[in-house]
Amino acid sequence: MGLSRDDMLRELELLPVWRLRDPAVLPAAGQPQDERRETAAIEPDPVAARTDAPANAVASEPLQTQVPGPVETSPAPIAAQAESMPEAGNHEAGDMQPDPEYFEAMQSWPEFGDSVVPPLFEEEASAPQGDRRTAIMTMDWQALQQSVSECEACDLAQKRTQTVFGVGDPNAEWLFVGEAPGAEEDRRGEPFVGPAGQLLDNMLAAIALKRGENVYIANVLKCRPPANRDPHGEEVVKCDPYLKRQVELIKPKLIVALGKFAAQSLLASDKSIAGLRGRLHDFHGVPVIITYHPAYLLRNLPDKAKAWDDLCFARETMRGLQSAASPPSSA
């Protein structure tokens, strides 16, 4: 982008406005002290005088020597900046806060193949992003895997060990979506491994499912963010067509979003898990159910009961979807 941060703030009128205090006028030599204060008190504001005077007026009074007072900032722009600054996120107990730029980008999801570019990156990425998205949305499964493995669309490519495309049955009825690979996933190239992955396998087994059998597991991001930080808006935009194309090729009957970030990414919502659980949502015509991330459940054992309720809801929903898709039996 051609504009610096200061340039963008200046265009948005968010930079401080610097203004001089009312200038003090030096009294004439030999003038009494009391008269000096009265002269200074009634001396007109030279800035206001210039503002009120006609544009073609010529000053007839000789210029007086002025001593500027201390420089101060106008409080209004500073207040505006304070209101626009985001508060620090609270990352305890899996309560992840996504980058504000991302929500501005995802206020409404377009149809498959349409371009989604957040405003801050629009000037730089709009044209190439549209071409790239169009190309991705025409790929078959093998070409999509290859494209992900070679992707360098964002800075995460420089820090990853390898990409994490997904694992499981590419024709599955169940699609489980997490947020992003962790350190172990980055090392092994498979989503949900380690303790969180073991818990997810147990959750699947509880509803008679198994990894790789009518189940596919993927993430919103295909590369690990450094130090497992929250994904940034630009990173989600770059990975977005990959996940959409995976959904389009897999054609799942049901998507289960694991964790707050995956839920907010799929639904373009900033609601909490509590506000999203317990009801059906929609992702381009595919029903979506929200539950807790396995890593969160490992740190918050009492919420496993809520996760079990979510899994039971998902199981009953799938049975209804399978029943509706079955041809009616002939009498």
Side-chain angles (χ1 to χ4, degrees):
M1 295 174 60
L3 295 178
S4 67
R5 177 178 178 275
D6 287 346
D7 290 335
M8 288 189 288
L9 291 176
R10 186 176 295 108
E11 289 294 328
L12 295 173
E13 298 181 354
L14 294 179
L15 283 179
V17 175
W18 300 93
R19 193 175 66 186
L20 297 178
R21 291 181 185 270
D22 292 339
V25 180
L26 289 179
Q31 185 179 7
Q33 186 69 22
D34 294 340
E35 294 181 11
R36 296 181 187 183
R37 283 197 294 267
E38 292 176 2
T39 302
I42 64 173
E43 187 69 28
D45 186 354
V47 176
R50 286 196 302 269
T51 304
D52 297 336
N56 60 354
V58 179
S60 59
E61 296 293 331
L63 294 176
Q64 293 181 331
T65 305
Q66 299 177 356
V67 179
V71 177
E72 66 177 359
T73 58
S74 175
I78 296 178
Q81 287 183 354
E83 293 176 357
S84 65
M85 291 293 289
E87 296 179 359
N90 178 11
H91 300 280
E92 296 181 2
D95 189 17
M96 302 179 64
Q97 296 292 337
D99 188 290
E101 298 169 4
Y102 165 70
F103 289 114
E104 294 177 6
M106 301 298 179
Q107 288 179 356
S108 60
W109 287 93
E111 295 300 322
F112 284 114
D114 290 349
S115 177
V116 178
V117 182
L120 290 180
F121 304 104
E122 198 168 278
E123 179 180 345
E124 178 180 11
S126 57
Q129 173 72 4
D131 295 341
R132 174 177 174 271
R133 176 178 290 266
T134 300
I136 290 173
M137 298 309 294
T138 61
M139 293 178 180
D140 59 20
W141 191 258
Q142 185 176 358
L144 190 65
Q145 286 180 306
Q146 183 70 21
S147 179
V148 169
S149 67
E150 298 173 350
C151 179
E152 296 182 351
C154 71
D155 293 340
L156 294 182
Q158 302 174 9
K159 302 176 178 66
R160 73 190 181 211
T161 301
Q162 59 185 316
T163 58
V164 181
F165 182 78
V167 66
D169 180 1
N171 299 306
E173 294 180 313
W174 293 82
L175 173 60
F176 290 79
V177 179
E179 58 186 52
E184 188 65 17
E185 288 83 357
D186 178 64
R187 186 180 69 84
R188 294 173 54 177
E190 182 176 334
F192 286 95
V193 296
Q198 293 173 7
L199 179 55
L200 176 59
D201 290 341
N202 292 337
M203 294 167 67
L204 295 176
I207 54 174
L209 295 176
K210 186 177 180 180
R211 182 186 297 236
E213 297 181 5
N214 201 28
V215 170
Y216 197 87
I217 304 172
N219 282 315
V220 174
L221 293 191
K222 310 305 181 187
C223 297
R224 180 199 178 200
N228 292 339
R229 63 157 170 76
D230 292 352
H232 290 169
E234 183 187 19
E235 296 161 358
V236 176
V237 168
K238 298 298 185 182
C239 265
D240 166 63
Y242 288 134
L243 180 60
K244 279 195 171 73
R245 185 56 177 165
Q246 282 180 303
V247 174
E248 195 174 48
L249 291 172
I250 295 171
K251 296 180 176 64
K253 281 186 168 61
L254 182 65
I255 297 174
V256 179
L258 301 169
K260 183 177 181 179
F261 183 82
Q264 292 176 336
S265 300
L266 289 171
L267 304 180
S269 170
D270 60 356
K271 291 184 178 180
S272 65
I273 287 284
L276 296 172
R277 290 179 54 248
R279 56 193 178 95
L280 279 178
H281 304 273
D282 179 87
F283 180 75
H284 295 283
V286 182
V288 179
I289 288 177
I290 310 301
T291 191
Y292 295 98
H293 194 284
Y296 168 83
L297 294 174
L298 290 174
R299 301 190 299 272
N300 299 269
L301 298 181
D303 283 337
K304 282 187 175 182
K306 297 179 182 179
W308 172 243
D309 291 339
D310 297 334
L311 292 175
C312 292
F313 177 43
R315 180 178 58 188
E316 294 305 312
T317 300
M318 177 60 79
R319 287 175 179 172
L321 293 170
Q322 291 172 332
S323 176
S326 301
S329 57
S330 56

